[in-house]
Amino acid sequence: MSRKKHVIPRNEYKRTRREFFHNEEREKRIEIERKENEIKRANELEQQKKNENRVKENMQKARIEKLTKEEIKKQEEESQSHPTIDLDDDRLATNNHEDKEDKEDKEFVEEKEVSEQQDKEEDFIDETQHITYKNVENKDNVTNDDQDFVINKQLGARHDEKVEEKAQNSNDILNKMISKIERHWPIIAILLAIILIFILVWSIFQNVNPPNESRKSIEEAQSQKGFQKPITNVMEAVEKSKNSVVGVSHDDSDVTSKEESTQKEKEENSGVGSGVVYKVKDDKAYIATNAHVLANDKKPIITATNGKKFDGKVVGSDQWSDIAVVTIALDNKTKFKPIKFEDSDNLILGETAIVIGSPLGSEFQNSISTGVVSGLDRKVPVDFNNDNEYDWELKAIQTDAAVNPGNSGGPILDSQGNLIGIVSLKINMPNVEGMGFAIPSNEASDYINKLESDGKIARPEMGVMAKNFNTLKDEEKAQIYLPDQYKTGMVITGVEDKSNASKAGIKFNDVIVEIDGKLIENNLQFRKELYNNHKSGDKIDLTIIRNGKKVNKSLTLK
């Protein structure tokens, strides 16, 4: 009797169904091998591509070389087929036709060979995409494609060898130079140090004793006379500037030529002076001198170093700065050299000062006196009209070098022969010696430029004539009453018609006692306040005394 099989329902089956057996170690090993195979295949493909590219390059080089050889051979055949040019026209035409046909045939053959060669290359590339290269031991079974590959490979190798050889040669040369430098570096360092020291010493010597034409001229003059003396800085400075200094005079001013002139007349002669050439341009020489030397003369006589006289033309003159500019026409026989202006702000007390000029007239032209710079930024009061009252204050440098009448307008030089000032005046009093004054080069340069461009130096004007109250006569003073607060002032002695002063209501015998609240007591204060502190177009406030009463007025300077 068969026994009925007891089946447990699926939903009541308690045991976990056994899963398929997995070997994790084996799976990891298989995964690693798979990745290695992929990398290997990628490397093989990359190497295969490199080989293909190299084969292409070598075959292209071989093709170019082959074409070049065939072209040379073709030219040789053409030259052999035409041994002479002495042919008649029919034969020449026949040969030309044959040459043309041969040429076309050869070109057809060459094109065919090139196309076949390209087909071979393409077949070869197609084959190399699916196979790898192996060494062939049996040379009798090598195909034509393999032979081309071997030839191209050899050509590529030769080319690489040449490139490597060139690189190796250049590296060898560089290595040799480096090795020599490393071996002999102490000697090289010593040589370089000697060269640098030599250059340094030479440059210092050139700066301390620069070669100049002045020294050369002095040496040549001494050589011609047959003697040799030490050359000083003063000698060089004078030689450098001798063609820059001129004499300035008038037709009747050179009293030194008069037989019966006295020494006093010579000293009092203000129409003789000196000048300095500061520019040469457009066949003209531009000369700076003093305004008081020219006075009112518009055509002064200029005397050059060689004694030749020129007619001068006044470009501009300014009394208050005591500077004037004159021009002369140049000729081919007289040499003028522009002088160099030195910065007068850099002057040092005690440095050399050289005065060149024509004291007492042309008889003593180009006289030299030396001294030192004995004062800076001096304020020297000047009386222009000899009324015993100072009219202006001149900024100047002081020197103890001898300054005499006739030196006015001439230069003061430093030890290098450069201009540091223009001689203007000296103190002429008993028991006073060696006190000469010159306009500093910086101020003189500014005045010269303005006179050259404008013909004058513009200064503000009120439109009045004024006089110091203390210089009036007693009968004139009696007409004016001043309060006790003011002891003096500037008395109005005249008012210009239609001037700004007239418009402001300024009248005759008004006394100006203040300008903008500053006390005015004399001509010098009056002009300094106007010229130094104001300019044309400025509005000023005046305090005036009229009939003993204080009145305030305002006006605009012209």
Side-chain angles (χ1 to χ4, degrees), residues 267-286:
E267 293 176 352
E268 291 179 349
N269 179 22
S270 61
V272 177
S274 305
V276 57
V277 178
Y278 69 89
K279 184 170 74 171
V280 176
K281 183 180 179 182
D282 298 333
D283 296 329
K284 289 183 180 180
Y286 290 76

Side-chain angles (χ1 to χ4, degrees), residues 318-558:
D318 182 66
Q319 178 185 17
W320 308 109
S321 63
D322 200 21
I323 291 291
V325 174
V326 180
T327 60
I328 59 173
L330 298 177
D331 64 4
N332 297 327
K333 297 180 180 180
T334 307
K335 181 180 179 182
F336 292 101
K337 181 181 178 182
I339 202 162
K340 181 181 178 182
F341 280 64
E342 187 62 45
D343 188 352
S344 56
D345 291 338
N346 296 333
L347 291 177
I348 301 174
L349 289 175
E351 71 172 278
T352 302
I354 306 168
V355 175
I356 305 179
S358 304
L360 306 181
S362 60
E363 182 179 345
F364 301 102
Q365 187 171 353
N366 296 329
S367 294
I368 312 297
S369 61
T370 61
V372 297
V373 176
S374 50
L376 301 172
D377 297 325
R378 300 297 195 205
K379 306 295 182 182
V380 185
V382 183
D383 178 12
F384 289 118
N385 52 10
N386 297 321
D387 62 353
N388 296 322
E389 184 179 8
Y390 294 125
D391 300 302
W392 188 239
E393 194 173 72
L394 190 70
K395 179 183 177 182
I397 56 176
Q398 181 182 337
T399 180
D400 66 345
V403 173
N404 297 291
N407 282 120
S408 295
I412 291 185
L413 310 176
D414 62 5
S415 59
Q416 303 300 317
N418 300 325
L419 184 141
I420 59 176
I422 293 179
V423 177
S424 180
L425 53 91
K426 65 174 288 186
I427 294 179
N428 188 13
M429 295 173 61
N431 301 322
V432 176
E433 294 182 358
M435 292 189 68
F437 298 92
I439 304 165
S441 57
N442 289 359
E443 281 73 15
S445 178
D446 293 338
Y447 297 142
I448 288 169
N449 292 333
K450 291 178 181 178
L451 290 172
E452 184 183 336
S453 60
D454 303 331
K456 64 179 182 178
I457 297 176
R459 289 186 171 85
E461 297 178 358
M462 289 178 56
V464 300
M465 291 176 285
K467 200 172 184 180
N468 188 352
F469 177 81
N470 291 332
T471 62
L472 296 177
K473 297 179 181 179
D474 291 339
E475 57 269 22
E476 293 173 337
K477 290 181 180 179
Q479 301 176 10
I480 301 171
Y481 174 73
L482 290 178
D484 295 337
Q485 181 182 354
Y486 301 102
K487 303 297 183 184
T488 184
M490 295 299 297
V491 180
I492 303 300
T493 59
V495 180
E496 297 179 4
D497 292 338
K498 299 180 181 180
S499 65
N500 292 348
S502 177
K503 295 176 182 178
I506 306 297
K507 297 181 179 180
F508 177 76
N509 272 353
D510 284 348
V511 182
I512 299 175
V513 292
E514 291 182 11
I515 298 179
D516 289 340
K518 296 180 181 178
L519 192 65
I520 302 298
E521 295 181 339
N522 52 49
N523 288 340
L524 184 58
Q525 292 179 352
F526 180 63
R527 290 194 178 94
K528 285 177 64 177
E529 179 62 28
L530 287 180
Y531 297 165
N532 294 343
N533 299 331
H534 295 89
K535 61 181 182 298
S536 298
D538 287 353
K539 186 177 180 180
I540 60 173
D541 296 324
L542 301 177
T543 301
I544 64 175
I545 303 299
R546 180 182 294 172
N547 298 326
K549 296 180 180 180
K550 185 184 295 186
V551 179
N552 295 323
K553 296 288 184 179
S554 296
L555 63 83
T556 301
L557 296 174
K558 182 180 178 182

Side-chain angles (χ1 to χ4, degrees), residues 176-229:
K176 287 180 181 178
M177 292 177 63
I178 293 172
S179 63
K180 287 183 179 180
I181 292 173
E182 290 177 349
R183 227 180 4 249
H184 304 290
W185 71 265
I187 299 174
I188 295 172
I190 292 172
L191 291 175
L192 290 174
I194 292 172
I195 293 171
L196 291 174
I197 292 172
F198 175 78
I199 293 173
L200 182 62
V201 171
W202 181 81
S203 62
I204 293 173
F205 179 79
Q206 291 295 315
N207 290 329
V208 173
N209 296 306
N212 55 72
E213 297 179 0
S214 303
R215 176 176 288 272
K216 185 177 179 181
S217 299
I218 296 172
E219 291 175 349
E220 289 178 355
Q222 290 183 356
S223 177
Q224 291 175 359
K225 294 181 180 180
F227 66 89
Q228 191 73 29
K229 288 185 178 180

Side-chain angles (χ1 to χ4, degrees), residues 39-53:
I39 294 172
K40 186 175 181 181
R41 282 198 299 273
N43 292 335
E44 288 177 353
L45 289 174
E46 185 178 0
Q47 185 64 34
Q48 184 177 348
K49 288 181 180 180
K50 289 182 180 179
N51 292 336
E52 290 172 2
N53 292 333

